[in-house]
Amino acid sequence: MMLESHRRLYNLALRERRDVYEAQGRSVSYGEQSRWFKETRKVIPSFAATNFSSAQATLRRLDRAFRAFFRRVRASAGDAPGYPRYKPGDRFRTVEFPSYGDGCKLKETGRVYIQNVGHVKVKLHRPIEGTIKTVSVKRSCGKWYVIFSCEASPGDASKATEDGPAVGIDLGLKSFLVTSSGESVEPPRYYRESQRKLRVAQRSVSRKKKGSERQRKARKQVARLHEKTANQCRDFHHKRARKLVDQHGLIAHEALNVKGIARSRLAKSAHDAGWTSFLNILGQKAEEAAVRVVAVDPRNTTQACSSCGQTPEIKKTLSDRLHACPCGYTADRDENAARNILRLGLSLWDVTQRVTANVSRARL
Ligand SMILES: [Zn+2]
């Protein structure tokens, strides 16, 4: 019944837009339709029974359909794009409640209250985390579903996405990277070892006589070591990236090449080449796995406190390995940075997750 009222509203509003355009040659706006609905529901009982803001959501949906239509008209030269269509019974499937609590609410009993429908028994597919923002009621293949869109608060950061927890990574000085959950990843020993060998070999080249056979041989040695190191490096990057992508739904890291950063970047720059290649690999793997990767501005991520959000007056220097905030929060310097990076990453990304619930034995 509820779905049917919304479908009628959609089609009626579509007809109004059509009629006004034919009679007056102008488009009707969403605002006009919202006002029109306010009047109309005084005389049509089934409209009067619908929740007002969810009816507005249906009108906005029509508005979006028209906007998309006009965009297509502008974009296409000549061939006429499809005009928004009337929805037959089986083509209108969703009713949205745009502000949670207004017309639709999940009760402590586990039932969902829907205005003018009553309490409906549902089975959640998984527990709700964060704050419910909107609710949609949907019919699909003869079954009914209630979909809760929830927004994770920063405190729920570790559970923030549909596809797994979110993580922040700080590309460290001492460690290769440190995660916001406190895991520190060391570069493998062989990696450092071969870099040391490479340096030795490079020195040996510069000590040999220019153009000599011995220098040529030493150069060859350097080239071989170079390749070996690069392979080891790539291998390590692939493994680390795979692990991060497998375990998370969102990965936030600091953006490299952000201009005007004084802090520890200088000291870090020696590693930048390696990180660029690591982040490229991470990006590729994440894309394949539909895991989100977000780069954040690293400014102040080292100094700010990830617990209280304040920046302590006494700045950390490069040698300060510990973050100790007057608020009482103490953590490893890089872990604190990683947590700040995570928070920024989450704020850049819409961390809406959807929880679906089956509706048992009800027609809505
Ligand atoms: Zn603090």
Side-chain angles (χ1 to χ4, degrees):
M1 275 318 292
M2 177 182 71
L3 193 66
E4 182 55 22
S5 306
H6 279 262
R7 185 178 74 89
R8 280 183 53 213
L9 170 63
Y10 187 94
N11 287 342
L12 208 62
L14 172 57
R15 194 163 80 207
E16 208 220 9
R17 282 184 181 244
R18 210 169 240 203
D19 291 348
V20 169
Y21 187 78
E22 274 167 19
Q24 307 170 19
R26 65 175 189 93
S27 317
V28 177
S29 70
Y30 161 74
E32 279 177 82
Q33 293 217 300
S34 178
R35 284 192 293 278
W36 159 82
F37 173 70
K38 214 171 183 173
E39 293 306 312
T40 312
R41 75 196 300 243
K42 287 178 187 160
V43 287
I44 302 182
S46 71
F47 283 180
T50 54
N51 172 260
F52 189 65
S53 39
S54 80
Q56 283 180 315
T58 297
L59 291 175
R60 268 197 297 273
R61 204 168 129 191
L62 178 67
D63 192 50
R64 279 198 301 277
F66 269 90
R67 280 168 198 271
F69 166 68
F70 291 131
R71 259 201 311 278
R72 288 199 302 273
V73 169
R74 275 196 302 274
S76 74
D79 52 358
Y83 193 80
R85 291 192 198 163
Y86 292 111
K87 301 272 186 195
D90 57 338
R91 292 293 299 277
F92 193 90
R93 301 187 183 113
T94 311
V95 172
E96 194 193 335
F97 292 87
S99 73
Y100 178 66
D102 176 3
C104 192
K105 199 169 172 41
L106 177 66
K107 296 289 184 181
E108 273 154 30
T109 55
R111 287 170 187 253
V112 175
Y113 167 75
I114 302 171
Q115 184 176 329
N116 275 291
V117 172
H119 291 81
V120 179
K121 200 171 158 190
V122 299
K123 188 173 174 296
L124 288 174
H125 291 188
R126 58 199 172 84
I128 301 239
E129 283 155 1
T131 321
I132 303 173
K133 291 288 171 182
T134 71
V135 181
S136 294
V137 174
K138 190 176 174 180
R139 187 175 62 185
S140 173
C141 306
K143 287 198 177 100
W144 290 90
Y145 301 92
V146 179
I147 300 142
F148 300 93
S149 292
C150 317
E151 205 174 86
S153 59
D156 305 326
S158 60
K159 306 162 179 163
T161 70
E162 289 168 67
D163 315 295
V167 71
I169 55 175
D170 181 62
L171 304 166
L173 267 176
K174 271 183 68 200
S175 314
F176 177 70
L177 62 85
V178 174
T179 71
S180 50
S181 37
E183 190 198 358
S184 127
V185 176
E186 303 303 323
R189 188 177 302 176
Y190 62 73
Y191 176 93
R192 287 205 164 137
E193 178 64 10
S194 39
Q195 276 188 329
R196 193 187 58 78
K197 277 187 187 156
L198 188 61
R199 275 197 303 276
V200 172
Q202 272 162 342
R203 270 204 298 276
S204 140
V205 170
S206 55
R207 259 189 260 111
K208 302 258 173 346
K209 209 173 114 193
K210 253 193 186 140
S212 68
E213 178 66 9
R214 295 183 63 171
Q215 198 197 33
R216 200 184 61 79
K217 274 190 180 156
R219 271 193 208 285
K220 221 172 159 186
Q221 171 78 358
V222 167
R224 256 206 308 277
L225 278 172
H226 240 305
E227 201 187 313
K228 194 180 162 199
T229 321
N231 283 341
Q232 285 175 335
C233 205
R234 217 173 6 249
D235 186 57
F236 170 62
H237 289 167
H238 270 280
K239 280 187 184 136
R240 287 319 308 186
R242 164 64 42 218
K243 208 168 168 199
L244 280 168
V245 166
D246 283 349
Q247 293 174 350
H248 301 98
L250 183 146
I251 302 163
H253 64 79
E254 57 193 293
L256 300 177
N257 315 319
V258 175
K259 290 219 169 73
I261 295 174
R263 61 146 201 161
S264 55
R265 273 255 67 92
L266 268 181
K268 280 185 165 193
S269 66
H271 302 271
D272 274 6
W275 283 328
T276 305
S277 103
F278 171 70
L279 292 178
N280 283 338
I281 291 168
L282 182 69
Q284 281 162 19
K285 288 199 191 308
E287 196 171 329
E288 285 161 19
V291 166
R292 300 153 171 187
V293 171
V294 52
V296 307
D297 186 339
R299 263 170 284 204
N300 210 31
T301 49
T302 303
Q303 301 298 343
C305 173
S306 62
S307 181
C308 67
Q310 306 285 312
T311 303
E313 268 174 49
I314 304 154
K315 298 259 182 227
K316 287 191 239 357
T317 66
L318 270 177
S319 56
D320 294 330
R321 298 307 310 161
L322 199 71
H323 167 82
C325 180
C327 79
Y329 178 71
T330 307
D332 169 74
R333 166 207 181 96
D334 294 339
E335 182 186 339
N336 177 62
R339 282 167 46 117
N340 282 324
I341 288 165
L342 172 61
R343 184 178 43 76
L344 288 168
L346 288 173
S347 68
L348 282 177
W349 210 290
D350 168 28
V351 288
T352 306
Q353 56 166 353
R354 289 180 174 79
V355 180
T356 310
N358 270 70
V359 175
S360 46
R361 294 192 304 277
R363 281 187 53 79
L364 308 176

